Amino acid sequence: MRWALVKVSLAVTTMVVLAFAVPLGLVIREMARDRAFSNAERQAAAVAPALSITTDRDQLERVVASAGSDSGMAVHIPASGKTAAVDLGRRRAAGGDIATVRRLGRASTTEVPGGSTLLQPVALSTGEIAVVEVYVPDSEVTNGLATAWAVLAGVGIALIVGSVAVADRLGVRMVRPAQRLVEGAHELGEGKLGARVPEEGPTELRLAAVAFNAMADQVVQLLANERELAADLSHRLRTPLTVLRLNAASLGDGPAAEQTRAAVAQLEGEVDTIIRTAREAKPQTVAAGPGAGCDAAEVVRERMAFWSALAEDEGRKVRVAGVDRPVRIPVARADLAAALDALLGNVFRHTPEGTAFAVDVHNGEDAVIVLVSDAGPGIADPEAAMARGHGSGSAGSTGLGLDIVRRLAESTGGDVRIGSSVLGGTEVRLWIQLDGRAPVRRGHRGAVRRRRPGRLVSTFNRSRSLP
Protein backbone atom coordinates (compact mmCIF):
# COMPACT_ATOMS: atom_id res chain seq x y z
CA MET A 1 0.00 0.00 0.00
CA ARG A 2 2.86 2.34 0.86
CA TRP A 3 4.62 1.86 -2.48
CA ALA A 4 1.35 2.08 -4.36
CA LEU A 5 0.72 5.49 -2.79
CA VAL A 6 4.26 6.60 -3.69
CA LYS A 7 3.81 5.45 -7.30
CA VAL A 8 0.49 7.27 -7.61
CA SER A 9 2.01 10.45 -6.16
CA LEU A 10 5.00 10.17 -8.51
CA ALA A 11 2.78 9.71 -11.56
CA VAL A 12 0.39 12.55 -10.65
CA THR A 13 3.17 15.01 -9.77
CA THR A 14 5.09 14.18 -12.94
CA MET A 15 2.03 14.81 -15.08
CA VAL A 16 1.33 18.11 -13.32
CA VAL A 17 4.96 19.25 -13.67
CA LEU A 18 5.00 18.35 -17.36
CA ALA A 19 1.66 20.07 -17.91
CA PHE A 20 3.10 23.32 -16.57
CA ALA A 21 6.79 22.98 -17.50
CA VAL A 22 6.38 22.28 -21.22
CA PRO A 23 4.17 25.33 -21.98
CA LEU A 24 6.32 27.48 -19.70
CA GLY A 25 9.47 26.36 -21.52
CA LEU A 26 7.90 27.33 -24.86
CA VAL A 27 6.90 30.70 -23.43
CA ILE A 28 10.47 31.30 -22.25
CA ARG A 29 11.78 30.52 -25.73
CA GLU A 30 9.36 32.96 -27.33
CA MET A 31 10.30 35.62 -24.79
CA ALA A 32 13.99 35.17 -25.63
CA ARG A 33 13.22 35.53 -29.34
CA ASP A 34 11.10 38.64 -28.74
CA ARG A 35 13.90 40.16 -26.67
CA ALA A 36 16.45 39.61 -29.45
CA PHE A 37 14.25 41.19 -32.15
CA SER A 38 13.28 44.06 -29.86
CA ASN A 39 16.98 44.90 -29.60
CA ALA A 40 17.23 44.71 -33.37
CA GLU A 41 14.30 47.09 -33.74
CA ARG A 42 15.95 49.59 -31.38
CA GLN A 43 19.15 49.47 -33.41
CA ALA A 44 17.19 50.06 -36.62
CA ALA A 45 15.30 52.94 -34.98
CA ALA A 46 18.61 54.58 -34.05
CA VAL A 47 19.56 54.88 -37.76
CA ALA A 48 16.16 56.04 -38.99
CA PRO A 49 16.54 59.78 -37.99
CA ALA A 50 19.83 60.08 -39.88
CA LEU A 51 18.34 58.51 -43.01
CA SER A 52 15.45 60.98 -42.98
CA ILE A 53 17.97 63.85 -43.01
CA THR A 54 20.79 62.70 -45.29
CA THR A 55 21.85 59.91 -47.55
CA ASP A 56 25.54 60.78 -47.54
CA ARG A 57 27.57 57.60 -47.31
CA ASP A 58 30.22 58.91 -44.93
CA GLN A 59 27.70 60.36 -42.52
CA LEU A 60 25.63 57.18 -42.59
CA GLU A 61 28.72 55.06 -41.89
CA ARG A 62 29.45 57.16 -38.80
CA VAL A 63 25.83 56.75 -37.64
CA VAL A 64 25.97 52.98 -38.14
CA ALA A 65 29.28 52.81 -36.29
CA SER A 66 27.90 54.85 -33.40
CA ALA A 67 25.00 52.38 -33.14
CA GLY A 68 27.60 49.70 -32.35
CA SER A 69 26.25 47.23 -34.87
CA ASP A 70 28.29 47.95 -37.96
CA SER A 71 29.11 44.21 -38.32
CA GLY A 72 25.47 43.15 -38.07
CA MET A 73 23.70 46.12 -39.68
CA ALA A 74 23.28 47.04 -43.32
CA VAL A 75 21.53 50.03 -44.95
CA HIS A 76 20.05 49.76 -48.44
CA ILE A 77 19.23 53.14 -50.13
CA PRO A 78 17.67 52.96 -53.58
CA ALA A 79 18.84 55.14 -56.50
CA SER A 80 17.09 58.50 -56.92
CA GLY A 81 17.54 60.72 -59.97
CA LYS A 82 21.24 61.34 -60.38
CA THR A 83 22.04 59.69 -57.01
CA ALA A 84 23.19 56.11 -57.24
CA ALA A 85 22.01 53.39 -54.88
CA VAL A 86 23.92 53.05 -51.63
CA ASP A 87 24.52 49.77 -49.73
CA LEU A 88 26.25 50.02 -46.39
CA GLY A 89 27.39 46.96 -44.43
CA ARG A 90 27.17 43.30 -45.26
CA ARG A 91 23.96 42.29 -46.91
CA ARG A 92 22.58 38.92 -45.79
CA ALA A 93 18.95 39.14 -46.87
CA ALA A 94 17.95 38.30 -50.42
CA GLY A 95 17.26 41.13 -52.84
CA GLY A 96 13.70 39.97 -53.32
CA ASP A 97 12.98 40.21 -49.60
CA ILE A 98 14.39 43.77 -49.50
CA ALA A 99 12.31 44.78 -52.52
CA THR A 100 9.18 43.31 -50.92
CA VAL A 101 9.69 45.30 -47.71
CA ARG A 102 10.34 48.49 -49.68
CA ARG A 103 7.19 47.95 -51.70
CA LEU A 104 4.94 47.02 -48.75
CA GLY A 105 6.41 49.64 -46.41
CA ARG A 106 6.33 47.46 -43.25
CA ALA A 107 8.98 45.58 -41.26
CA SER A 108 9.63 41.94 -41.87
CA THR A 109 11.95 39.14 -40.71
CA THR A 110 13.55 36.51 -42.86
CA GLU A 111 15.70 33.47 -42.22
CA VAL A 112 19.33 33.62 -43.29
CA PRO A 113 22.27 31.26 -42.69
CA GLY A 114 23.25 31.41 -39.02
CA GLY A 115 20.21 33.35 -37.81
CA SER A 116 17.58 35.86 -38.96
CA THR A 117 17.45 39.43 -40.22
CA LEU A 118 15.09 42.25 -39.40
CA LEU A 119 14.21 44.38 -42.42
CA GLN A 120 12.96 47.80 -41.26
CA PRO A 121 11.69 50.31 -43.95
CA VAL A 122 12.60 54.03 -43.45
CA ALA A 123 11.19 56.92 -45.52
CA LEU A 124 13.81 59.27 -47.03
CA SER A 125 13.48 63.01 -47.64
CA THR A 126 13.35 62.29 -51.37
CA GLY A 127 10.28 60.11 -50.90
CA GLU A 128 12.10 56.85 -51.52
CA ILE A 129 12.06 53.97 -49.06
CA ALA A 130 15.36 52.82 -47.59
CA VAL A 131 15.65 49.47 -45.80
CA VAL A 132 17.69 48.94 -42.63
CA GLU A 133 18.83 45.36 -42.24
CA VAL A 134 19.75 44.12 -38.71
CA TYR A 135 21.27 40.66 -38.35
CA VAL A 136 20.09 38.59 -35.34
CA PRO A 137 22.23 35.43 -34.87
CA ASP A 138 20.77 32.23 -33.39
CA SER A 139 23.06 32.52 -30.35
CA GLU A 140 21.37 35.79 -29.41
CA VAL A 141 17.90 34.28 -29.83
CA THR A 142 18.80 31.38 -27.47
CA ASN A 143 20.84 33.50 -25.06
CA GLY A 144 19.89 32.53 -21.47
CA LEU A 145 17.39 29.92 -22.69
CA ALA A 146 19.41 26.90 -21.46
CA THR A 147 19.79 28.44 -18.02
CA ALA A 148 16.08 29.17 -17.77
CA TRP A 149 15.20 25.63 -18.85
CA ALA A 150 17.70 24.17 -16.36
CA VAL A 151 16.14 26.19 -13.54
CA LEU A 152 12.69 25.10 -14.65
CA ALA A 153 13.78 21.44 -14.76
CA GLY A 154 15.35 21.75 -11.31
CA VAL A 155 12.16 23.18 -9.88
CA GLY A 156 10.14 20.37 -11.48
CA ILE A 157 12.46 17.68 -10.11
CA ALA A 158 12.36 19.29 -6.67
CA LEU A 159 8.56 19.24 -6.76
CA ILE A 160 8.51 15.57 -7.77
CA VAL A 161 11.01 14.57 -5.08
CA GLY A 162 9.15 16.59 -2.48
CA SER A 163 5.79 15.05 -3.38
CA VAL A 164 7.27 11.54 -3.31
CA ALA A 165 8.80 12.21 0.11
CA VAL A 166 5.51 13.53 1.46
CA ALA A 167 3.61 10.58 -0.04
CA ASP A 168 6.11 8.17 1.49
CA ARG A 169 5.64 9.71 4.94
CA LEU A 170 1.87 9.57 4.52
CA GLY A 171 2.16 5.99 3.32
CA VAL A 172 4.22 5.03 6.35
CA ARG A 173 1.65 6.67 8.59
CA MET A 174 -1.08 4.61 6.97
CA VAL A 175 0.76 1.34 6.33
CA ARG A 176 2.56 0.94 9.66
CA PRO A 177 -0.67 0.66 11.71
CA ALA A 178 -2.02 -1.79 9.13
CA GLN A 179 1.15 -3.89 9.37
CA ARG A 180 0.90 -3.90 13.15
CA LEU A 181 -2.71 -5.02 12.87
CA VAL A 182 -1.69 -7.90 10.57
CA GLU A 183 1.17 -8.90 12.87
CA GLY A 184 -1.15 -8.81 15.87
CA ALA A 185 -3.67 -11.03 14.07
CA HIS A 186 -0.92 -13.53 13.19
CA GLU A 187 0.35 -13.59 16.78
CA LEU A 188 -3.15 -14.09 18.13
CA GLY A 189 -3.70 -16.87 15.61
CA GLU A 190 -0.48 -18.55 16.80
CA GLY A 191 -1.79 -18.60 20.36
CA LYS A 192 -0.01 -15.52 21.72
CA LEU A 193 -2.96 -14.22 23.67
CA GLY A 194 -1.06 -11.16 24.89
CA ALA A 195 -0.86 -9.73 21.38
CA ARG A 196 -2.30 -6.20 21.19
CA VAL A 197 -2.17 -3.43 18.57
CA PRO A 198 -1.33 0.24 19.29
CA GLU A 199 -4.43 2.36 18.72
CA GLU A 200 -2.87 4.96 16.42
CA GLY A 201 -2.87 6.05 12.80
CA PRO A 202 -5.78 7.17 10.61
CA THR A 203 -9.27 7.06 12.06
CA GLU A 204 -10.31 3.86 10.27
CA LEU A 205 -7.18 1.94 11.29
CA ARG A 206 -7.41 3.28 14.83
CA LEU A 207 -11.00 2.00 15.09
CA ALA A 208 -9.87 -1.35 13.65
CA ALA A 209 -7.13 -1.54 16.30
CA VAL A 210 -9.66 -0.78 19.04
CA ALA A 211 -11.95 -3.53 17.72
CA PHE A 212 -9.04 -6.00 17.48
CA ASN A 213 -7.91 -5.33 21.04
CA ALA A 214 -11.46 -5.73 22.30
CA MET A 215 -11.74 -9.02 20.41
CA ALA A 216 -8.42 -10.25 21.86
CA ASP A 217 -9.59 -9.38 25.38
CA GLN A 218 -12.82 -11.27 24.74
CA VAL A 219 -10.90 -14.31 23.49
CA VAL A 220 -8.73 -14.31 26.61
CA GLN A 221 -11.83 -14.07 28.81
CA LEU A 222 -13.59 -16.89 26.94
CA LEU A 223 -10.54 -19.14 27.23
CA ALA A 224 -10.26 -18.36 30.92
CA ASN A 225 -13.93 -19.26 31.41
CA GLU A 226 -13.43 -22.47 29.42
CA ARG A 227 -10.43 -23.45 31.55
CA GLU A 228 -12.38 -22.82 34.71
CA LEU A 229 -15.28 -24.89 33.40
CA ALA A 230 -12.96 -27.76 32.46
CA ALA A 231 -11.32 -27.62 35.87
CA ASP A 232 -14.69 -27.62 37.64
CA LEU A 233 -16.03 -30.51 35.58
CA SER A 234 -12.84 -32.51 36.11
CA HIS A 235 -12.93 -31.84 39.82
CA ARG A 236 -16.39 -33.39 40.01
CA LEU A 237 -14.84 -36.71 38.94
CA ARG A 238 -12.79 -36.91 42.11
CA THR A 239 -15.67 -38.29 44.20
CA PRO A 240 -16.54 -41.29 41.96
CA LEU A 241 -12.82 -41.92 41.45
CA THR A 242 -12.30 -42.08 45.18
CA VAL A 243 -15.08 -44.66 45.41
CA LEU A 244 -13.52 -46.68 42.58
CA ARG A 245 -10.10 -46.54 44.24
CA LEU A 246 -11.55 -47.80 47.55
CA ASN A 247 -13.46 -50.60 45.81
CA ALA A 248 -10.37 -51.56 43.81
CA ALA A 249 -8.36 -51.77 47.02
CA SER A 250 -10.81 -54.36 48.33
CA LEU A 251 -10.47 -56.68 45.32
CA GLY A 252 -7.52 -58.50 46.83
CA ASP A 253 -4.63 -59.88 44.81
CA GLY A 254 -4.54 -61.14 41.26
CA PRO A 255 -3.83 -59.84 37.76
CA ALA A 256 -7.33 -58.45 37.26
CA ALA A 257 -7.23 -56.59 40.56
CA GLU A 258 -3.82 -55.12 39.78
CA GLN A 259 -5.02 -54.08 36.32
CA THR A 260 -8.08 -52.39 37.86
CA ARG A 261 -6.05 -50.52 40.47
CA ALA A 262 -3.54 -49.41 37.81
CA ALA A 263 -6.37 -48.12 35.61
CA VAL A 264 -7.91 -46.19 38.49
CA ALA A 265 -4.53 -44.68 39.39
CA GLN A 266 -3.96 -43.69 35.79
CA LEU A 267 -7.43 -42.15 35.60
CA GLU A 268 -6.76 -40.15 38.75
CA GLY A 269 -3.49 -38.92 37.28
CA GLU A 270 -5.22 -37.84 34.07
CA VAL A 271 -7.88 -35.94 36.01
CA ASP A 272 -5.22 -34.18 38.08
CA THR A 273 -3.37 -33.25 34.90
CA ILE A 274 -6.53 -31.79 33.40
CA ILE A 275 -7.20 -29.75 36.51
CA ARG A 276 -3.65 -28.41 36.71
CA THR A 277 -3.58 -27.54 33.01
CA ALA A 278 -6.97 -25.85 33.18
CA ARG A 279 -5.90 -23.78 36.19
CA GLU A 280 -2.81 -22.38 34.46
CA ALA A 281 -2.95 -18.66 33.76
CA LYS A 282 -1.74 -19.08 30.17
CA PRO A 283 -1.92 -21.98 27.72
CA GLN A 284 1.45 -23.63 27.18
CA THR A 285 2.63 -24.74 23.77
CA VAL A 286 5.48 -27.21 23.59
CA ALA A 287 7.53 -26.85 20.44
CA ALA A 288 8.84 -30.04 18.93
CA GLY A 289 12.54 -29.68 18.34
CA PRO A 290 15.38 -32.05 17.49
CA GLY A 291 15.11 -35.15 19.63
CA ALA A 292 11.56 -34.37 20.76
CA GLY A 293 8.79 -36.95 20.45
CA CYS A 294 8.71 -40.62 21.38
CA ASP A 295 9.18 -44.16 20.15
CA ALA A 296 5.85 -45.19 18.65
CA ALA A 297 6.76 -48.88 18.75
CA GLU A 298 7.48 -48.75 22.49
CA VAL A 299 4.25 -46.89 23.24
CA VAL A 300 2.22 -49.40 21.18
CA ARG A 301 3.83 -52.33 23.01
CA GLU A 302 3.13 -50.72 26.38
CA ARG A 303 -0.52 -49.93 25.66
CA MET A 304 -1.16 -53.31 24.06
CA ALA A 305 0.24 -54.97 27.17
CA PHE A 306 -2.35 -53.03 29.16
CA TRP A 307 -5.28 -53.86 26.87
CA SER A 308 -4.26 -57.49 26.26
CA ALA A 309 -5.46 -58.56 29.70
CA LEU A 310 -8.95 -57.23 29.02
CA ALA A 311 -8.86 -58.74 25.53
CA GLU A 312 -8.01 -62.15 27.03
CA ASP A 313 -10.92 -61.88 29.46
CA GLU A 314 -13.32 -61.13 26.57
CA GLY A 315 -11.90 -63.79 24.29
CA ARG A 316 -10.55 -61.41 21.66
CA LYS A 317 -7.71 -62.41 19.35
CA VAL A 318 -5.04 -59.71 19.16
CA ARG A 319 -2.22 -59.14 16.68
CA VAL A 320 0.50 -56.49 16.83
CA ALA A 321 2.92 -55.87 13.94
CA GLY A 322 5.69 -53.42 13.12
CA VAL A 323 6.83 -52.79 16.69
CA ASP A 324 10.00 -54.87 16.66
CA ARG A 325 12.17 -51.83 15.82
CA PRO A 326 12.17 -48.25 17.17
CA VAL A 327 9.90 -45.83 15.30
CA ARG A 328 10.56 -42.19 16.20
CA ILE A 329 7.69 -39.73 15.71
CA PRO A 330 7.38 -35.99 16.57
CA VAL A 331 4.56 -36.60 19.07
CA ALA A 332 4.65 -36.52 22.85
CA ARG A 333 4.47 -39.92 24.50
CA ALA A 334 1.41 -39.06 26.56
CA ASP A 335 -0.45 -37.75 23.50
CA LEU A 336 0.21 -40.91 21.47
CA ALA A 337 -0.79 -43.09 24.42
CA ALA A 338 -4.04 -41.13 24.80
CA ALA A 339 -4.79 -41.53 21.08
CA LEU A 340 -4.13 -45.29 21.18
CA ASP A 341 -6.27 -45.68 24.29
CA ALA A 342 -9.08 -43.80 22.54
CA LEU A 343 -8.90 -46.08 19.47
CA LEU A 344 -8.57 -49.32 21.43
CA GLY A 345 -11.24 -48.20 23.87
CA ASN A 346 -13.62 -47.74 20.94
CA VAL A 347 -12.91 -51.32 19.83
CA PHE A 348 -13.84 -52.71 23.22
CA ARG A 349 -16.78 -50.34 23.65
CA HIS A 350 -18.45 -50.67 20.24
CA THR A 351 -17.74 -54.28 19.17
CA PRO A 352 -19.12 -57.50 20.70
CA GLU A 353 -16.97 -59.63 22.98
CA GLY A 354 -14.80 -62.05 21.07
CA THR A 355 -14.22 -59.62 18.20
CA ALA A 356 -10.63 -59.75 17.01
CA PHE A 357 -8.54 -56.63 16.43
CA ALA A 358 -5.04 -55.71 15.31
CA VAL A 359 -2.57 -52.83 15.55
CA ASP A 360 -0.02 -52.32 12.76
CA VAL A 361 2.78 -49.75 12.67
CA HIS A 362 4.25 -48.88 9.26
CA ASN A 363 7.41 -46.78 9.18
CA GLY A 364 8.17 -44.77 6.01
CA GLU A 365 10.68 -42.17 4.93
CA ASP A 366 8.51 -39.17 5.71
CA ALA A 367 5.54 -40.59 7.61
CA VAL A 368 4.47 -43.23 10.11
CA ILE A 369 1.09 -44.94 9.85
CA VAL A 370 -0.64 -46.59 12.78
CA LEU A 371 -3.53 -48.87 11.74
CA VAL A 372 -6.13 -50.05 14.26
CA SER A 373 -8.49 -52.55 12.66
CA ASP A 374 -11.16 -54.88 13.99
CA ALA A 375 -13.56 -57.57 12.81
CA GLY A 376 -16.65 -55.85 14.19
CA PRO A 377 -19.78 -54.58 12.45
CA GLY A 378 -18.05 -51.41 11.16
CA ILE A 379 -19.11 -47.76 11.24
CA ALA A 380 -22.13 -46.81 9.15
CA ASP A 381 -21.22 -43.11 8.82
CA PRO A 382 -17.42 -42.54 9.18
CA GLU A 383 -17.72 -38.81 8.52
CA ALA A 384 -20.20 -38.33 11.36
CA ALA A 385 -17.98 -40.42 13.62
CA MET A 386 -15.12 -37.96 13.07
CA ALA A 387 -17.28 -34.97 14.02
CA ARG A 388 -16.70 -33.80 17.57
CA GLY A 389 -19.73 -34.43 19.74
CA HIS A 390 -21.44 -36.87 17.36
CA GLY A 391 -19.61 -40.13 17.89
CA SER A 392 -20.58 -43.35 16.20
CA GLY A 393 -24.22 -43.02 17.10
CA SER A 394 -24.16 -45.82 19.70
CA ALA A 395 -24.86 -45.41 23.36
CA GLY A 396 -22.06 -43.82 25.35
CA SER A 397 -20.27 -42.35 22.33
CA THR A 398 -19.33 -38.65 22.43
CA GLY A 399 -16.96 -38.49 19.46
CA LEU A 400 -14.21 -37.01 21.63
CA GLY A 401 -11.92 -40.01 21.21
CA LEU A 402 -11.62 -39.77 17.42
CA ASP A 403 -11.39 -36.00 17.75
CA ILE A 404 -8.33 -36.44 19.99
CA VAL A 405 -6.76 -38.75 17.41
CA ARG A 406 -7.52 -36.32 14.58
CA ARG A 407 -5.99 -33.33 16.38
CA LEU A 408 -2.87 -35.39 17.17
CA ALA A 409 -2.39 -36.28 13.49
CA GLU A 410 -3.08 -32.78 12.19
CA SER A 411 -0.58 -31.27 14.65
CA THR A 412 2.14 -33.00 12.57
CA GLY A 413 0.58 -32.23 9.18
CA GLY A 414 -1.01 -35.67 8.91
CA ASP A 415 -4.60 -36.88 9.00
CA VAL A 416 -6.97 -39.62 10.12
CA ARG A 417 -9.15 -41.74 7.88
CA ILE A 418 -11.78 -44.39 8.59
CA GLY A 419 -12.35 -47.28 6.22
CA SER A 420 -13.02 -50.98 6.00
CA SER A 421 -10.41 -53.37 7.34
CA VAL A 422 -9.34 -56.73 5.91
CA LEU A 423 -10.76 -58.26 9.09
CA GLY A 424 -14.22 -57.24 7.94
CA GLY A 425 -14.83 -54.39 10.34
CA THR A 426 -13.48 -50.87 10.83
CA GLU A 427 -9.97 -49.66 10.10
CA VAL A 428 -8.72 -46.34 11.53
CA ARG A 429 -5.58 -45.06 9.83
CA LEU A 430 -3.52 -42.56 11.82
CA TRP A 431 -1.05 -40.77 9.48
CA ILE A 432 1.77 -39.00 11.37
CA GLN A 433 3.97 -36.72 9.22
CA LEU A 434 7.71 -36.74 9.95
CA ASP A 435 9.10 -33.93 7.76
CA GLY A 436 7.99 -31.12 10.08
CA ARG A 437 5.56 -29.43 7.68
CA ALA A 438 2.93 -27.08 9.05
CA PRO A 439 -0.43 -28.59 9.99
CA VAL A 440 -2.81 -28.93 7.08
CA ARG A 441 -6.31 -27.51 7.52
CA ARG A 442 -8.77 -30.06 6.22
CA GLY A 443 -12.17 -31.62 6.83
CA HIS A 444 -12.94 -34.17 9.50
CA ARG A 445 -11.89 -37.15 7.40
CA GLY A 446 -8.95 -35.41 5.76
CA ALA A 447 -7.97 -35.20 2.13
CA VAL A 448 -5.92 -37.81 0.30
CA ARG A 449 -2.29 -36.78 0.52
CA ARG A 450 -0.41 -36.35 -2.75
CA ARG A 451 2.92 -37.47 -1.30
CA ARG A 452 3.20 -40.99 0.09
CA PRO A 453 6.27 -43.20 0.29
CA GLY A 454 5.95 -46.14 -2.04
CA ARG A 455 7.47 -48.55 0.47
CA LEU A 456 4.98 -47.42 3.11
CA VAL A 457 1.90 -47.76 0.89
CA SER A 458 2.99 -51.15 -0.36
CA THR A 459 2.91 -52.54 3.19
CA PHE A 460 -0.73 -51.61 3.85
CA ASN A 461 -2.02 -55.02 2.81
CA ARG A 462 0.81 -57.14 4.19
CA SER A 463 0.40 -59.39 7.25
CA ARG A 464 -3.06 -58.14 8.15
CA SER A 465 -4.72 -61.47 9.03
CA LEU A 466 -4.78 -62.75 12.57
CA PRO A 467 -2.91 -65.91 13.53
Side-chain angles (χ1 to χ4, degrees):
M1 181 179 178
R2 171 186 176 184
W3 295 116
L5 184 60
V6 170
K7 290 179 180 178
V8 171
S9 175
L10 177 61
V12 172
T13 308
T14 301
M15 288 188 294
V16 172
V17 169
L18 290 177
F20 282 93
V22 172
L24 188 57
L26 297 177
V27 169
I28 292 175
R29 187 181 66 177
E30 290 299 322
M31 290 176 62
R33 179 180 177 84
D34 292 341
R35 182 183 67 247
F37 279 95
S38 296
N39 292 334
E41 290 176 357
R42 285 196 298 270
Q43 294 175 15
V47 180
L51 286 175
S52 63
I53 298 174
T54 179
T55 58
D56 182 68
R57 186 183 186 92
D58 294 336
Q59 294 181 0
L60 291 178
E61 287 179 352
R62 287 194 297 269
V63 172
V64 171
S66 64
S69 302
D70 53 343
S71 62
M73 181 182 293
V75 178
H76 309 289
I77 302 174
S80 175
K82 297 179 180 181
T83 305
V86 178
D87 288 321
L88 298 177
R90 178 183 174 185
R91 187 169 85 174
R92 293 179 173 84
D97 295 332
I98 295 173
T100 301
V101 171
R102 183 177 288 127
R103 185 179 69 252
L104 297 177
R106 62 172 178 264
S108 177
T109 60
T110 181
E111 299 291 333
V112 296
S116 303
T117 58
L118 172 65
L119 301 177
Q120 180 69 42
V122 179
L124 302 177
S125 59
T126 60
E128 299 294 334
I129 300 297
V131 176
V132 179
E133 177 186 347
V134 181
Y135 174 62
V136 181
D138 289 336
S139 59
E140 186 175 350
V141 173
T142 59
N143 184 25
L145 188 60
T147 303
W149 281 358
V151 172
L152 186 61
V155 172
I157 293 175
L159 288 175
I160 293 175
V161 172
S163 66
V164 170
V166 172
D168 181 69
R169 292 300 90 196
L170 291 176
V172 169
R173 184 173 177 269
M174 295 179 61
V175 171
R176 187 168 296 168
Q179 290 177 340
R180 290 174 179 171
L181 185 61
V182 172
E183 293 172 358
H186 281 303
E187 291 178 359
L188 187 63
E190 293 172 356
K192 300 177 181 178
L193 301 181
R196 296 296 184 272
V197 179
E199 299 173 1
E200 58 185 21
T203 304
E204 293 78 6
L205 293 177
R206 187 165 59 252
L207 293 176
V210 171
F212 175 84
N213 293 337
M215 178 193 68
D217 294 337
Q218 185 70 16
V219 169
V220 172
Q221 184 62 37
L222 290 175
L223 289 177
N225 294 339
E226 183 179 357
R227 289 194 300 269
E228 290 297 327
L229 179 61
D232 293 342
L233 293 177
S234 300
H235 194 273
R236 296 181 184 180
L237 296 176
R238 286 186 178 275
T239 300
L241 281 176
T242 302
V243 175
L244 286 176
R245 181 165 52 81
L246 295 175
N247 292 338
S250 63
L251 292 178
D253 298 330
E258 292 298 328
Q259 293 269 346
T260 302
R261 283 190 283 269
V264 172
Q266 181 184 3
L267 186 57
E268 284 184 327
E270 293 293 340
V271 171
D272 291 339
T273 300
I274 293 174
I275 294 175
R276 286 194 302 269
T277 303
R279 293 296 186 186
E280 288 182 356
K282 296 181 180 179
Q284 301 294 325
T285 301
V286 180
C294 66
D295 182 1
E298 180 183 357
V299 176
V300 170
R301 290 195 301 267
E302 176 186 328
R303 300 319 301 159
M304 288 302 296
F306 173 81
W307 290 99
S308 295
L310 183 57
E312 184 178 356
D313 292 340
E314 295 187 358
R316 298 175 183 267
K317 292 183 178 181
V318 181
R319 182 183 60 79
V320 182
V323 296
D324 52 337
R325 291 181 298 177
V327 180
R328 297 295 304 182
I329 59 174
V331 174
R333 181 186 185 90
D335 294 340
L336 179 60
L340 287 173
D341 287 343
L343 294 176
L344 295 174
N346 284 340
V347 173
F348 283 87
R349 188 177 300 109
H350 302 299
T351 61
E353 293 187 7
T355 301
F357 67 94
V359 178
D360 299 327
V361 179
H362 302 274
N363 188 14
E365 296 178 359
D366 63 350
V368 170
I369 292 180
V370 179
L371 297 175
V372 178
S373 54
D374 61 63
I379 298 178
D381 190 353
E383 186 172 356
M386 290 298 299
R388 181 180 176 92
H390 289 74
S392 63
S394 59
S397 176
T398 63
L400 297 180
L402 289 178
D403 185 68
I404 293 174
V405 177
R406 176 179 60 81
R407 287 190 285 112
L408 171 70
E410 291 183 353
S411 68
T412 67
D415 61 12
V416 176
R417 307 199 75 178
I418 299 177
S420 299
S421 71
V422 295
L423 301 180
T426 302
E427 177 185 86
V428 180
R429 187 207 70 176
L430 172 60
W431 181 289
I432 301 175
Q433 196 69 31
L434 300 180
D435 55 8
R437 287 183 290 180
V440 179
R441 299 294 181 186
R442 59 183 83 234
H444 292 299
R445 294 182 62 188
V448 179
R449 303 186 67 85
R450 290 180 290 180
R451 182 180 173 208
R452 295 183 179 179
R455 182 172 64 85
L456 187 60
V457 176
S458 64
T459 60
F460 275 2
N461 297 321
R462 296 180 187 173
S463 304
R464 303 283 286 282
S465 59
L466 292 171

